[in-house]
Amino acid sequence: MLRLIYVVVISCPFVIYYICKARYIERHGEKFSEERRYRMARRCISIMMYNGRIRTKSQGQELLPKEGGYIMYSNHQGKYDTVGIMSVHPKPCTIVIDAYRSRLPITDTFIDLVQGSRLDKRDMKKQMKTIMDIAGEVREGRRYIIFPEGGYDHNKNELQEFMPGAFKCAVWAKAPIVPVAIIDSYKPFSVNSLRKVRTYVHFLQPIGFEEYKGMRTGEIAELVKSRIAADIEGHLRRRA
C-alpha cells in the first residue's frame, strides 16, 4: 500500500492530466480507436511503473494468436495484475472487472478508457447479459483478461479455486483460451516498501476451441489452473 500511495502522490500532475484526457476521450469516443486508447493506457502504466520502481519481465508473447479475439485467463494476486499484463501485451486488450471494484477512483476512469466490462455479481440477469456481450465482442476480435479466482486477498503465488462460470465467455465465443501465469505480482502494492521490485508475466500455450469444446466449464477451469500452476511451480523451483 505504501508504494501505491507514493506513486499516486508523485504522479499527481500526470494523474490529473490523464484523467482529464480520458474523460475527453469518453465524451468523444467515436474519434478515438481502440488502438489509440490502448496506447494512452500503456503510457499511463509506464509512468506508474517508472515512478513506482516496478519492472515486469515477460515471456511467451510469440505464442499469442496472431489474428482474431481470445481470452486470457490469469491467476490473481493484487491491484497490479491487470496493468502488469497490459504492460507486456502488445495488442489492445481489455478487462472484465467486478462492477463494485470498478467504481473506485482512478480505476473507474481507466476501465472506461480501455472500454472494459463491468460484471454485476449481485444481479444474475445483468451478469448473464454481460457474459454474452463479452462473448460477442471476442467473436468480433477483441481480447479480454479474466481472473477466474475472483478475489486476490493473500493469494501471493498460491492458486485458489478457479470459478467454472468464468469460462462461459470463451465457450460461447468459441475462442482460444490463453492461460497466463503471473508471479510476484502481489509485491508492488501489498508489500510496504519502496525498493525496486520485479514481477513476471508468462503467456502460455493457447488452448484452441477444438481442444476444449467437449469439456464442461469445470473441466476447462481445472485444465487452465493446472497449466498455470505447473508454470509457477517451475519458475519458483528454478530460482530457489
Side-chain angles (χ1 to χ4, degrees), residues 220-236:
I220 299 171
E222 286 302 315
L223 173 63
V224 173
K225 180 181 177 180
S226 66
R227 294 193 180 185
I228 292 173
D231 184 84
I232 293 175
E233 182 181 350
H235 177 93
L236 297 178

Side-chain angles (χ1 to χ4, degrees), residues 160-175:
Q160 310 303 312
E161 181 182 358
F162 278 28
M163 297 181 292
F167 294 85
K168 289 180 180 178
C169 299
V171 173
W172 292 350
K174 299 182 179 180

Side-chain angles (χ1 to χ4, degrees), residues 53-68:
R53 310 181 78 201
I54 306 165
R55 298 292 180 271
T56 294
K57 187 175 181 180
S58 66
Q59 64 182 46
Q61 282 95 335
E62 72 282 358
L63 300 175
L64 295 171
K66 300 296 187 291
E67 302 292 337

Side-chain angles (χ1 to χ4, degrees), residues 1-237:
M1 186 60 70
L2 175 63
R3 192 187 310 268
L4 179 59
I5 295 171
Y6 174 79
V7 168
V8 171
V9 171
I10 198 173
S11 307
C12 192
F14 297 103
V15 170
I16 294 171
Y17 170 75
Y18 279 110
I19 286 178
C20 292
K21 190 169 182 180
R23 288 179 177 170
Y24 175 84
I25 289 174
E26 197 58 31
R27 289 196 302 270
H28 304 84
E30 70 282 353
K31 299 180 181 178
F32 297 88
S33 66
E34 185 176 24
E35 288 74 17
R36 190 171 176 185
R37 286 169 174 262
Y38 193 63
R39 282 198 301 271
M40 179 178 164
R42 293 187 80 194
R43 174 58 179 159
C44 295
I45 291 169
S46 67
I47 291 171
M48 180 272 292
M49 291 175 65
Y50 178 81
N51 289 341
R53 310 181 78 201
I54 306 165
R55 298 292 180 271
T56 294
K57 187 175 181 180
S58 66
Q59 64 182 46
Q61 282 95 335
E62 72 282 358
L63 300 175
L64 295 171
K66 300 296 187 291
E67 302 292 337
Y70 52 84
I71 302 178
M72 293 171 275
Y73 286 94
S74 171
N75 56 311
H76 208 3
Q77 297 190 353
K79 295 181 177 66
Y80 180 74
D81 299 350
T82 299
V83 296
I85 293 171
M86 286 185 172
S87 73
V88 295
H89 188 274
K91 293 183 179 180
C93 65
T94 190
I95 177 74
V96 181
I97 186 171
D98 176 71
Y100 176 76
R101 288 182 181 272
S102 76
R103 298 303 178 185
L104 297 173
I106 302 177
T107 302
D108 186 36
T109 303
F110 186 83
I111 296 302
D112 285 342
L113 177 63
V114 297
Q115 298 175 300
S117 291
R118 294 175 168 88
L119 194 66
D120 189 344
K121 295 181 179 179
R122 297 169 295 183
D123 189 321
M124 184 59 68
K125 186 177 290 187
K126 289 182 180 178
Q127 191 174 142
M128 292 303 293
K129 184 181 184 306
T130 300
I131 293 173
M132 292 176 68
D133 290 344
I134 293 168
E137 291 179 28
V138 173
R139 281 195 295 270
E140 292 173 2
R142 296 199 79 197
R143 308 165 192 90
Y144 267 90
I145 302 167
I146 294 179
F147 299 104
E149 287 173 301
Y152 52 72
D153 291 341
H154 311 299
N155 287 2
K156 295 188 176 179
N157 288 320
E158 298 290 331
L159 298 188
Q160 310 303 312
E161 181 182 358
F162 278 28
M163 297 181 292
F167 294 85
K168 289 180 180 178
C169 299
V171 173
W172 292 350
K174 299 182 179 180
I177 289 172
V178 179
V180 180
I182 56 175
I183 301 161
D184 294 343
S185 191
Y186 67 94
K187 290 182 177 180
F189 297 143
S190 295
V191 177
N192 281 322
S193 170
L194 295 178
R195 296 176 62 182
K196 290 181 180 179
V197 64
R198 174 174 288 183
T199 75
Y200 301 85
V201 174
H202 296 170
F203 299 104
L204 309 183
Q205 184 69 45
I207 305 170
F209 178 67
E210 291 300 316
E211 184 176 349
Y212 71 79
K213 69 177 181 179
M215 301 169 65
R216 291 191 286 255
T217 52
E219 295 171 326
I220 299 171
E222 286 302 315
L223 173 63
V224 173
K225 180 181 177 180
S226 66
R227 294 193 180 185
I228 292 173
D231 184 84
I232 293 175
E233 182 181 350
H235 177 93
L236 297 178
R237 187 169 57 247

